[in-house]
Structure formats: structure tokens, C-alpha cells
Amino acid sequence: MKMRLSTKGITICLFFFVLSLAAAIEIPLSVAQLPTITEQSHTQVAYPFDEDFTIKCEARGNPQPTFNWTKDGKPFDLLSDPRIVATNNSGTFVIQNRGIITNFQGKYRCFASNVLGTAMSEEIELIVPSVPKFPKEKIEPLDVEHGDSVILHCNPPKGIPPLHIYWMNIDLQHIPQDERVSMSLKGDLYFANVEENDSRSDYCCFAAFPRLRTIVQKMPMTLKVSRSNFIKERKPRLLIPPESAGSSSSVTVIKGGVLLLECIAEGLPTPHLNWVKITGNLPKDEPETENFGKILKIDHVTTADEGTYQCTASNPMGRAKHEFHVHVEEPPQWIKKPQGGVYSVGTNLVLLCEAIGNPEPTIQWKLNGMPIDTPDTVWVFAGRTFRGRISAREISLTNLQLQDSAVYQCEASNKHGTILASANVNVLNIAPLILTSDGENYAAVVGYSAFLHCEIFASPAADIRWTKDDSIEPLSTLRYELNKNGTLEIKETKKEDSGSYACWAANSVGKRAITANLDIRDATKLVVTPKNPRVLKSHSILLKCQAEYDSHLKHSFKLSWRKDGDELPVNSTESGRVILDRDTLFISSVTQEDQGVYMCVARTSLDSVMAESWLIVLDVPDPPEDLQLSENQNRSVRLSWKAGASHNSPVNESIIEFEENRWEPGRWQELTRVLGNDTTALLSLAPYMNYQFRVLSVNAVGKSQPSKPSLRYATPPAAPDKNPENIRVEASEPNEMVMKWEPLKPMERNGPGLEYKVSWRQQGVEVDWNEEMVKKHSLTLRNTPTFVPYEIKVQAVNNLGSGPEPNITIGYSGEDVPDAAPSGVSVDIVNSTLVKVFWFGIPRDRVRGHLRGYKVSWWKTKSMLDGKRHHPEKHFLTFVGDRNYGMIPGLEPFSEFRLTVLAYNSKGDGPESSSVVFETPEGVPEQPRFLRILNFDKDSVTLSWGLPKKPNGYLTGYILQYQMINETHEIGPLSDVSVTNRSTLSWRLSGLSSSTKYKFYVKACTVKGCGKPVTEEGLTMAQGSKGIGKISEAVKPTQKFHPIEVLEPGTEYTVRLVTKNWVDNNSIFEDVIETRGRAYAGIYDGISTQGWFIGLMCAIALLTLLLLTICFVRRNKGGKYSVKEKEDLHPDPEAQSIKDEIFGEYSDSDEKPLKGSLQSINGDIKATESADSLVDYGEGEHGMFNEDGSFIGAYSGSKEKGSVESTGSSTATFPLHA
């Protein structure tokens, strides 16, 4: 039994609430209820420029309330004046601004009544101000003497505050005010003592009323100050407060208002005002004063400001004092206001009313707007009986009945104001009213709470329970919670919570029920990527928001972005730097201000979820700050600093730089580095420097800007710590020695007066040192022996001493050229273009300096082929170092040469050795000058070629080779023909295939072998056709024109100009020309110049007009080639010169080898090579070798043009034959 009771108690505790509707919900308007004032006016000013004035009073109730007004405590009939416009079913009325409306000024109160009771508004004061004016009056001039005190009275008219008073002259210039001349709070102008320059006739007082938009002026006043016969010095006398007020006065101020205490004194010299608080709590701060210390002002007055304040006016003649006893009072304020509500029959209630104020407020209870004051427990009011007790602070009622419904008012008053509070006591007995609509549909998402509403109004209070689907049992798990207003909260909803629910409400009068439907949707999910990215400043970042949501919520789904809680606008911001596009957020050129938490917010009609990502912006550190120097020593100081912001990347190093203004002002140099995030370093310093320091912080992003410089720190001077380095000897003359060294850097001088002590002696000869002091970093000795060793020392010296003992350096005096020539010169022939030279070097004492090497010179004396003598053209190669042989390349074969060798040093060349004669053997010849195809038949061809320019020996004959080729560069086998007669320069090849393209090769031979071939291509004829041939000729880069010889008359040719070794075969010039036919040209020339032809033409002039026209056109045709062809045949020399300079050297693109032909063509051409190392070759005047002996060039012969006649159409090119 106990268990059943306990279970029932838990169920009742969790799911059944007895709702106190008195404070829970508002009474529905459909239920009978007392009137309630919902809107009213407060103090209102009837400004003259307004058209009308509205006095508001609105109320609600059932039945509809009626309205009545009182004015100054007496009934006020809204129909008493036609200027009053009332509103139906409302207490609001409008007073039209017509005529005199001052009679409307007063205090109004609105009463709203129905059969249940009467509600009363607070007092509404209507102020009707008059237009302020100064009275017209004649103001007599004031005649005073210098030093007198004067008061100019303003006496401004009354008006709506605030009031602003100004003293100005007739030109609207403000009267200057100071301690001597000032204006009081009432607006009067006080002179503590007058001066002659105070005399004027236009002292004007202006009173401004901003709320009335009015400024009025008093009549000007005249003040005449005459000179006094004596000085009227006197002690101060208070004008405000006046002497009649005595030595003290009382001041009352409202709490929260402004306290203004004023003291104005007269006297000569001008008195000075001082304020003190002598009793009560002393203020924490010195009181604020205005008007040159004459007004003490305290804003927001509290009770702590009560006490006695004293003002003292003093000058050298004495002082005057006055005390103000300040009392702080306040209007009434509520402590407890009576609270009305809905009550059921038979219940009790207590209405409390407590207020505070100074003076203490009086409490007045009213019932339906009428005062009540009776100590009886039962009293009759307006024909109704009430049971209870009334006291100053509460009303208690017992056993309430339906007829006890009423409006209770509590009014608290003191001399500073009145406050009103109303309590509607509604006694009702009705069945439950369910204010929520029946059949409402609700939806929630999984995991969130769902709220099903069931708003109830009932008296007595109703019991509420909820059921689900067809069950009659109330919902009773911990996930269900019934709120006071009847709402069912289902916590952490699940899919199975979907269904139909019923809300049941019942009291002693009746019961009601409604249903509600609930659908559970999938919850929205969000992910922002990347998560917490770290981005370098000025880089870009793209944040993406990935969302999943229930398909039923598609139309209400919205995404937005926030940064640090503030929503970002959808449109792009900052000129497109931050771009939002639904689920993406793109930030370009990231700045430090972009750092923060970015939140993606997804909203649907049912839920709202957020996902965030913290954007971390990495940047170089801020510059260090607050550089401090400590631990000052002669050669060290400690530098400390405060690190700047690291911008999310820790400082891993600090760079300390210095600048000194003695030697290199303005130049900052690195001094040291401090690893880690240390912010202090002990700096090693050099003497005699005036330092200042700065620090740069380094993190993974980079270096910060430099900090501001530290204070300067000067180190004292000291003797040098080191001597000069890199001591060396240089000399331009044989009997001279120049000693040089690297001067000390400014930081190494250590003090003023730096000099160098130079010591020297001849090695192995002198014992004593020679010494000399110099300021520059070199010393020249003259009349020294040639190239002898010296011991040298250089020591740094300044005004404070000498540097350490210097080291000894060995140097040699000036050099002279060698005075001996190499001997035993001999030559070994390596091949036809290369020889090896040997010699014996000169003795070391004959070098007279540092031996740099040997120089070999040679020149050609004659050709062994024709015996011609040559003009000697010297060539030379240099061989560095002490050696006795060298390789001489690039010689002409089959020639006689002479050769000499000399030694050289830094000073120059020594004498040459006796010349040695040697001869080079024969070599392979150069390629023939040209190869031309003279005649083509269908199965034979006639070839013609030229002699090689340099045969390099006695020619033994020629090798003729040919092979078939096609357009795909596929080739046939190579055929050889040996021409043993060296005088034969043409050959006819037979047995060729018709209509076949061939490539021909011709190379010249000596006993040493055959040289490079010259090539040509051609196409044999088909039956009854001409052959096709090609002519290739070399063109020098500097040529401006090139003649093409032995072309067939009346034949078309394609002329093409290409650069040498171009692999793409693109010509830089190409045109088609046609040579003139011999027969045609002769006839043409004859006809145009013969007289018989002219006579014949005249004789047949009467023949057909057509024949005459044809002959005339023929006579004026002028040749078969165009102007373009003429220009190409006769180019402009200047234009051709420009082309030559631009394009340089050209070569025939057809000269490139065919596929598979390289080996067959070059197989018998063997290059002359040497097995000697490259170091055997010297440095020559032609730049054939680098300093390291590498070969970079070779001798080559000049190129010559060729000439050929062809029997067919040919393509002419201009190659440089390799």
C-alpha cells in the first residue's frame, strides 16, 4: 500500500501541476474581467507652435470600460469645450490649439470603469506656457568709481526650462568673464571690482528657451566707471549668499540630481574662491567647480553627499566664509507594489504596499479609484461588503466571492512626488479554457527537445495531463516534463516519439482536451574543412562547410558564416578580398585581422547547428620593444628587450645589429645572434666605439622589422688588439719595393691616432731592423737591389699603445725582365698540323723575378707545294710555369716554319732564342670548291668540280661517290668511282636509273688520304623531259649581293637563302625567277629599235584595229619578269647590308647528312688527332686555348664561290661548305 502511494505521489509530482493562473497567463479577453490601464500620457507641454495636444488614456476589460476624467481633482467634462475632440471607446482626447488655451493647464486623471470595477491612471500634468518677455523698462545708467563692486540684474522672464542666459553687447559679442566678472546661476552679472575699461552702454542680457524656440533680450544697460581719487582696497564680502543670509544656510537636493552651491564675492584685489567639505563623508576626489571656482557642482547626488560645505573668498586684505548645510531628499520609490491576479471563490489574498522616500511617503489605499481607510474586518463600500483588514502597508481579504472583484490602488506621496500602483483582483469560477488550437502539428529533430503546447486558463486551477496515441495513461518517463504553462517537453527526442498526443485539463467546474501531432526529423550535421588551418599572411584560404540535413527541411535550410560571433555579409566584402558563396568562404591576401574563429551556421525550421574552425594567421614577429642596457663594462654591455607579438609562430632567433657614428654612421651591421626566445644578451664590444643597438626577431615565417634603436653606448679607447694582415710586396720598377697591407677596420682601431710601424731588413744580409711610422697602408722603398728577399713586419700603434708583436713576412724587391734566352730548342713533328717543341729553361738567377712561364713564337716562311715565300706572320702560344716543352697546333700542312722560345716574368719578356726551322708533312686536302651537274640524261649524268683551295700536298686524284635517295631520306647503296688523274675535273656517270633522285659526293686525295666531300643532288630525266639539278654556293656573311652564273636562258629557277646548320630547313629568303630566252630577247630588242619595223607598222595601219591594239600592248609590255623580280635581281645595297648584319652567316639546309649515309660518306675521312694531353698546348694570340689549356678554336681556310651550268631547272642555294 505504501508502495502504491509512493508511486502515485511521484507521478503526481512529475506530471500533474496545480497552475496558479494569477501570475501565469493573461486573462483571455473573452472572460469577464476588471479594467486595466494599458496606455497613458505623462507630463506634457502645450507648445505654442503645435497644432494640437493629445492626452492619452487606453484601457482593456470585459465588459468594455467607459472613461471619465478629473482635472485638478474635480470632474472634467470632455464636452465642455468645442476644442476638445474625444475618441469613441477610448479615454484619449485631443485639445486643438485655437484661441487662449491657458485654462486647459492643470493635472488630469483618467478613470476606466465597468460593472466589475474602476481603474485609475497616474496624474497627467498639462503645462501651457506663456511666451516669455522682458518687461519694457527704462534702466538708469550706473555711475561708479574704479574699484567699486557692481551687480547688473537680468531678472529673466519665466518659461519652460531649460533656461540659458548670455551677457553680450549690441554686436552680439560675449562679455568676457573671469574671476573678477562672472554671471550667477540666476543670470545676474557680478563685478567684484570695476575697472575703467568696463565702461560701456550696451550690456545686454539674453534669455534663451530652447524648448520654446525663443530668445528674448533685455534692454541695454549702461555702466560708467570713473577714476577714483584713492585705491579702494578691501577684504572680500560675499554677495551670494547675501550677508542677510547669515554665516550659513540650508540647501535641499533631490537624490540622483545635481547639487549646485554658489558663492560670489566682491573685494579689491579680486577675491579667490575655495571650497571644502567640513562635515559628513569626505569626497574621494576634489569637488568639481565651475564659473571660475564660484560654483561647486556634484552630479548624481547620493546620501553620502550630505554634510556641510564651506566656501571661502580670500584676498590679501582678508577673507569671508559661508557654510551650506546640504540635505539629500528623494521622491517616493516602491519597495513592494500590490500584485493582482485571478483568484478562485473562497480563497484569501494579501496586497502589500511599501515605499521609501525622504521625507517618508504617506500611503493611501483606494478601491476602484475611491479612497478607503477603515480598520474594520468587515466593511461596506459602494454597496458591496468586503471581509478583511486594511492597514497602511497591506490589505488582507478572506473568503473571496465573485462579487469581490475590484481594482485596488496604492498611492505613495511626499513633497517631491506621488507614485501609483494598481492591483486587479479578479475572482472567477470557470471551467478550463484551452487557448491552444486543437490538432496542431509539431516537428522536431532527433536529439533535440520537442515542445507541445497546451495553454490553459481556468479558475479554480486545472489539473493537466498528456497521453500518447490510444493510451489513456499519462506520460510518465523522465524524458517527459510538464511545464507550468501546460507545455509538454519531450527531451532528447527519438524517431519513435512521432505520433498523436492529447492534452487533458480539468477542474471542479469542468474539463477540456485537445490533440497534437508530432513528427521527428533527422538532425542537421555540419563539418567545416580544413579544421583550424594555419595560413601565412598574404596567402589565401578556402573554408568549406559540408552539411547533411533532412529532406523535409530542404526549403527552410539556410547557411551563414560568422567570425568571432559576428555574422559575415553574404555579398563579398573589402573589394572582393573576402568572398562568401553559400557553403564556401574564400579569403585572399590574409591579414592579421582575419584571424579568429569562423563558424558555419546551418538553420532549418526545426534546428540550428554550428561548426567552427579557428583560422590561425602566421606572420613575422612584431619588432622587439623597450631596449635596455645594463651591466656596463669597457668591452661589454648587456642588452635586454621585450619581444613583440610572435603571430602564432614562436621566435626561434634574435638578431642583434649595431650602428656606430664615429666611423660608419647610419650603417647597421650584424653583431650577434641569440637562439631561442631569450630576450637578453651580453654583447662583446670593441674599444673606442659609440654604439647603438637594435634587435630583429626571427620565427619560421621570417624576420621582423628592426626595433627602435637603443640609447647610445660609448666604449673607452685601448691599444690595438691585432696587427694588419695580408702583408705583400708589389713593385713597378726593378730597384723599388712597395710594401702593402690590409688596413685595420674601424672596429679594430681601438683608439685615436692609429699609425703603422713598418720594420724591414734584407734576409741573410742585415741584422738590424729598419723602421718607419706611416699612417697609410703602404710604404715604398727605393734603390733596392733587384729581386732580393726581405723580412717585413707591420705593427698597429695608436695613442694608447702598440698592438701585439707582429709576425715576419718574406717579400721580394722589384723585378726586371729575364736577361737570358732558352737554349737547346728542338721540334718533333707529330702530324701535318701539330708539332712538339722542347727547350732548356734559363737559370733561376737569370730570371730576375718570379718566372711566369715560356712563350713560343712561330711563323710560316714558305709552302713546300709551290716553293713560294710568305710574308712572316707571327703567332705565339704561352706556356705557364717552369716547363721545357709544349704543343703547337693549327699549323698548315706541307709548309716550312721558323720557331723561337723566350722566358717571361711579371715584368715582361726576356730575349728570344735562336730560331729553329722545321717542315710540316703533307696532309689531306680541303673539299673541292664546287660540284655541279652539267648534263642529265635518263640514265647518265655529267659532273664537274673545282680544285680544293688548299690541297695540303700533291693531289693523287679524286674519289667520286653516288647513291639513290628519295623524299623520305631513305637511301640506296653507295657506289665509288676512283679518278686517278689529278687533272681530271669532270666525269660522266652512266648506268643510272631514269626519273631517280641521286646524291653525288666528290673528295680530293693526297698520299695522306682524302678530304671532306662536296655534295650535290639531282634527278635523272624521264623519257622526253629535262633533268633537275641543284647548285649550292657559299655566301659570306658580309656580302651585300652574289652573282649566279651559267644559268640556262629561258628557264625558271628557285632562289633560296638559308643559314648554315639550320635543322628546320626554313629559308630566310626565297623567290622564283625566270631567265630571259636568248632568241626572244634578240627579237624584242631588234623590233623595238629597227626603222623597217616602224615603216611596216605604218603600212599596215589600216588593217584591223584589233591587230594594232595587240601590237601596241606588246611594244609596251617591257619584259616577262615583274617589278618584284627586278628588285630581287638588283637589290638595294643598303637594304642588303642591313640583312647581312641581322642574319650573319648562312648555310645550305640540304647539306645535312641523309639517314644512313653518315658512315659511308665519312668512313674514309679520318681526322688528324694527337694523343698528347691538352696541357701541352699553350695560350695563343688567336684565343685557341683557355687558360687551362682547353682547345677553343682552329684555323680554317677562306670560302670561295663556284660556277656551273645546268641543262635543266635548278634550285640555287648559298651554303658555307664545311
Side-chain angles (χ1 to χ4, degrees), residues 918-939:
F918 65 94
E919 295 177 359
T920 54
E922 289 187 62
V924 295
E926 294 184 359
Q927 69 181 165
R929 297 187 184 188
F930 64 87
L931 172 61
R932 295 188 177 92
I933 303 172
L934 298 182
N935 287 299
F936 252 126
D937 290 326
K938 65 178 182 178
D939 60 353

Side-chain angles (χ1 to χ4, degrees), residues 361-560:
T362 58
I363 302 295
Q364 172 70 60
W365 285 97
K366 294 183 178 181
L367 179 63
N368 293 328
M370 303 298 291
I372 54 175
D373 186 12
T374 174
D376 300 334
T377 57
V378 178
W379 76 94
V380 178
F381 185 85
R384 296 161 62 182
T385 302
F386 293 89
R387 292 159 301 281
R389 184 183 299 277
I390 299 176
S391 67
R393 296 183 177 232
E394 70 176 48
I395 291 179
S396 60
L397 300 176
T398 60
N399 192 22
L400 290 173
Q401 301 300 312
L402 293 176
Q403 62 270 21
D404 292 337
S405 295
V407 181
Y408 291 83
Q409 290 101 6
C410 177
E411 203 169 49
S413 306
N414 67 10
K415 66 179 182 179
H416 299 297
T418 299
I419 55 177
L420 175 69
S422 297
N424 287 12
V425 176
N426 289 280
V427 182
L428 300 175
N429 192 43
I430 61 174
L433 292 176
I434 301 182
L435 306 180
T436 303
S437 300
D438 188 18
E440 287 281 353
N441 294 314
Y442 298 92
V445 295
V446 173
Y448 285 75
S449 292
F451 295 90
L452 308 183
H453 301 298
C454 186
E455 187 176 357
I456 306 293
F457 181 82
S459 180
D463 293 335
I464 300 175
R465 62 189 179 94
W466 282 85
T467 62
K468 183 176 185 293
D469 296 333
D470 297 331
S471 174
I472 59 173
E473 293 297 322
L475 300 174
S476 58
T477 67
L478 295 177
R479 289 197 306 115
Y480 300 101
E481 182 175 330
L482 187 62
N483 297 328
K484 290 182 179 180
N485 60 1
T487 297
L488 174 66
E489 178 182 358
I490 307 175
K491 300 178 180 179
E492 299 178 0
T493 55
K494 304 175 183 178
K495 281 285 189 178
E496 52 267 27
D497 289 326
S498 296
S500 177
Y501 293 79
C503 173
W504 302 84
N507 66 3
S508 58
V509 183
K511 62 180 178 179
R512 296 282 189 279
I514 61 168
T515 60
N517 300 309
L518 175 63
D519 288 327
I520 303 300
R521 311 294 190 194
D522 291 326
T524 305
K525 299 178 182 178
L526 277 185
V527 175
V528 176
T529 57
K531 186 71 171 177
N532 302 336
R534 299 168 68 87
V535 183
L536 289 175
K537 182 183 177 183
S538 301
H539 286 222
S540 301
I541 180 66
L542 176 68
L543 297 177
K544 188 168 182 61
C545 186
Q546 299 172 332
E548 294 181 6
Y549 51 90
D550 193 289
S551 59
H552 296 86
L553 306 176
K554 177 180 179 180
H555 297 293
S556 66
F557 177 78
K558 290 184 180 179
L559 275 180
S560 63

Side-chain angles (χ1 to χ4, degrees), residues 860-924:
K860 181 179 177 181
T861 56
K862 70 176 181 179
S863 170
M864 302 298 293
L865 186 63
D866 54 14
K868 288 184 180 179
R869 291 284 176 178
H870 285 260
H871 178 72
E873 181 182 352
K874 276 198 172 187
H875 310 277
F876 70 87
L877 282 177
T878 299
F879 299 89
V880 179
D882 189 6
R883 57 189 295 171
N884 61 357
Y885 70 94
M887 306 294 289
I888 308 299
L891 301 177
E892 289 188 29
F894 210 41
S895 301
E896 179 185 270
F897 290 89
R898 287 183 177 271
L899 177 146
T900 61
V901 182
L902 61 83
Y904 70 96
N905 61 16
S906 301
K907 191 65 178 173
D909 296 343
E912 289 184 316
S913 68
S914 300
S915 63
V916 175
V917 178
F918 65 94
E919 295 177 359
T920 54
E922 289 187 62
V924 295

